[in-house]
Amino acid sequence: MTSRTFRWSALALAVICLVGISTIGVAQQSVAPAARQVIVPDEDRFTPFAVTVRVGQIVQWVNNDTDDHSVVSIDAFNTAGHRGAHAILKANGGTLNLTFNHAGVFPFYCAFHATLDADNQAKAPGPDGGIQDPNGNFGTPMSGVITVVEGTN
C-alpha cells in the first residue's frame, strides 16, 4: 500500500468513525430526553409553576423544603396520564419522577397545602380559602401544571 493510499484510507476511516459517533449521540438524545425539574424551595410552593415538556420526557419533583409535601393529580382536568397520582415528597431532598408518554395537561397540587373547590380548582386550605401565616396573611394554593406536547427535541 502506498503512502498516499494509506492516508486516504485513514481519512475515510476517521470520517466513518465521526459520523458513527454523532449518529449514536443523536439516537440517544431522541430516546432519552433530559428531565425537567419542579423544585419545592424552602417554602410552600412549586417552582416553576408551569412546565412544558415533550412526549417521553421525565419530570422530576425535588423537595428542598424542611416539610414534607405531596404531588397529587387533579383527575378532572388530567389528560396527560398518571391519573390518581398521589406521592409524598419527603423533606430535605425527596424526589418523584414521572415520564409522560402522551400529550395533555397534568395539573397537580400539594394535598397538605391545597384542596379542591366545587369546580375542581386548587385553592389554599384554611379560612376564606387561604393559608394563614402568623401575621394573619393568607397565601396561595400550592399547585402547578405540566403541559405535555407532541414532537421531538
PDB file of all heavy atoms in Angstrom, residues 30 33 54-55 149-153:
ATOM      1  N   SER A  30     -32.784  11.339  21.252  1.00  0.00           N
ATOM      2  CA  SER A  30     -34.191  11.169  20.912  1.00  0.00           C
ATOM      3  C   SER A  30     -34.843  10.086  21.765  1.00  0.00           C
ATOM      4  O   SER A  30     -36.037  10.121  21.983  1.00  0.00           O
ATOM      5  CB  SER A  30     -34.342  10.857  19.424  1.00  0.00           C
ATOM      6  OG  SER A  30     -33.720   9.631  19.119  1.00  0.00           O
ATOM      7  N   PRO A  33     -34.872  11.996  26.359  1.00  0.00           N
ATOM      8  CA  PRO A  33     -34.764  13.444  26.524  1.00  0.00           C
ATOM      9  C   PRO A  33     -34.482  13.809  27.977  1.00  0.00           C
ATOM     10  O   PRO A  33     -34.824  13.073  28.893  1.00  0.00           O
ATOM     11  CB  PRO A  33     -36.126  13.957  26.072  1.00  0.00           C
ATOM     12  CG  PRO A  33     -37.027  12.784  26.063  1.00  0.00           C
ATOM     13  CD  PRO A  33     -36.191  11.552  25.989  1.00  0.00           C
ATOM     14  N   ARG A  54     -42.018  17.563  26.282  1.00  0.00           N
ATOM     15  CA  ARG A  54     -42.415  16.790  25.107  1.00  0.00           C
ATOM     16  C   ARG A  54     -42.766  15.366  25.534  1.00  0.00           C
ATOM     17  O   ARG A  54     -42.311  14.897  26.576  1.00  0.00           O
ATOM     18  CB  ARG A  54     -41.288  16.775  24.091  1.00  0.00           C
ATOM     19  CG  ARG A  54     -40.916  18.187  23.643  1.00  0.00           C
ATOM     20  CD  ARG A  54     -40.401  18.196  22.230  1.00  0.00           C
ATOM     21  NE  ARG A  54     -40.024  19.528  21.822  1.00  0.00           N
ATOM     22  CZ  ARG A  54     -40.843  20.401  21.272  1.00  0.00           C
ATOM     23  NH1 ARG A  54     -42.096  20.099  21.085  1.00  0.00           N
ATOM     24  NH2 ARG A  54     -40.415  21.597  20.909  1.00  0.00           N
ATOM     25  N   VAL A  55     -43.564  14.698  24.722  1.00  0.00           N
ATOM     26  CA  VAL A  55     -43.914  13.306  24.981  1.00  0.00           C
ATOM     27  C   VAL A  55     -42.633  12.507  25.172  1.00  0.00           C
ATOM     28  O   VAL A  55     -41.680  12.654  24.412  1.00  0.00           O
ATOM     29  CB  VAL A  55     -44.757  12.729  23.812  1.00  0.00           C
ATOM     30  CG1 VAL A  55     -44.910  11.229  23.940  1.00  0.00           C
ATOM     31  CG2 VAL A  55     -46.120  13.407  23.754  1.00  0.00           C
ATOM     32  N   VAL A 149     -46.509  18.160  25.177  1.00  0.00           N
ATOM     33  CA  VAL A 149     -46.785  18.381  23.757  1.00  0.00           C
ATOM     34  C   VAL A 149     -46.129  17.299  22.905  1.00  0.00           C
ATOM     35  O   VAL A 149     -45.156  16.684  23.315  1.00  0.00           O
ATOM     36  CB  VAL A 149     -46.312  19.785  23.307  1.00  0.00           C
ATOM     37  CG1 VAL A 149     -47.066  20.873  24.046  1.00  0.00           C
ATOM     38  CG2 VAL A 149     -44.824  19.959  23.514  1.00  0.00           C
ATOM     39  N   GLU A 150     -46.697  17.082  21.723  1.00  0.00           N
ATOM     40  CA  GLU A 150     -46.125  16.135  20.756  1.00  0.00           C
ATOM     41  C   GLU A 150     -44.846  16.726  20.193  1.00  0.00           C
ATOM     42  O   GLU A 150     -44.627  17.926  20.242  1.00  0.00           O
ATOM     43  CB  GLU A 150     -47.111  15.887  19.620  1.00  0.00           C
ATOM     44  CG  GLU A 150     -48.399  15.225  20.030  1.00  0.00           C
ATOM     45  CD  GLU A 150     -48.263  13.752  20.352  1.00  0.00           C
ATOM     46  OE1 GLU A 150     -47.193  13.147  20.060  1.00  0.00           O
ATOM     47  OE2 GLU A 150     -49.211  13.186  20.898  1.00  0.00           O
ATOM     48  N   GLY A 151     -44.032  15.888  19.595  1.00  0.00           N
ATOM     49  CA  GLY A 151     -42.859  16.381  18.892  1.00  0.00           C
ATOM     50  C   GLY A 151     -41.585  15.842  19.465  1.00  0.00           C
ATOM     51  O   GLY A 151     -41.568  15.165  20.487  1.00  0.00           O
ATOM     52  N   THR A 152     -40.499  16.169  18.781  1.00  0.00           N
ATOM     53  CA  THR A 152     -39.185  15.723  19.210  1.00  0.00           C
ATOM     54  C   THR A 152     -38.397  16.908  19.731  1.00  0.00           C
ATOM     55  O   THR A 152     -38.773  18.044  19.535  1.00  0.00           O
ATOM     56  CB  THR A 152     -38.418  15.070  18.030  1.00  0.00           C
ATOM     57  OG1 THR A 152     -38.296  16.045  16.988  1.00  0.00           O
ATOM     58  CG2 THR A 152     -39.143  13.853  17.528  1.00  0.00           C
ATOM     59  N   ASN A 153     -37.298  16.595  20.372  1.00  0.00           N
ATOM     60  CA  ASN A 153     -36.459  17.657  20.939  1.00  0.00           C
ATOM     61  C   ASN A 153     -35.924  18.554  19.903  1.00  0.00           C
ATOM     62  O   ASN A 153     -35.315  18.605  19.098  1.00  0.00           O
ATOM     63  CB  ASN A 153     -35.333  17.047  21.774  1.00  0.00           C
ATOM     64  CG  ASN A 153     -35.897  16.426  23.030  1.00  0.00           C
ATOM     65  OD1 ASN A 153     -37.011  16.714  23.440  1.00  0.00           O
ATOM     66  ND2 ASN A 153     -35.128  15.543  23.622  1.00  0.00           N
TER      67      ASN A 153
END
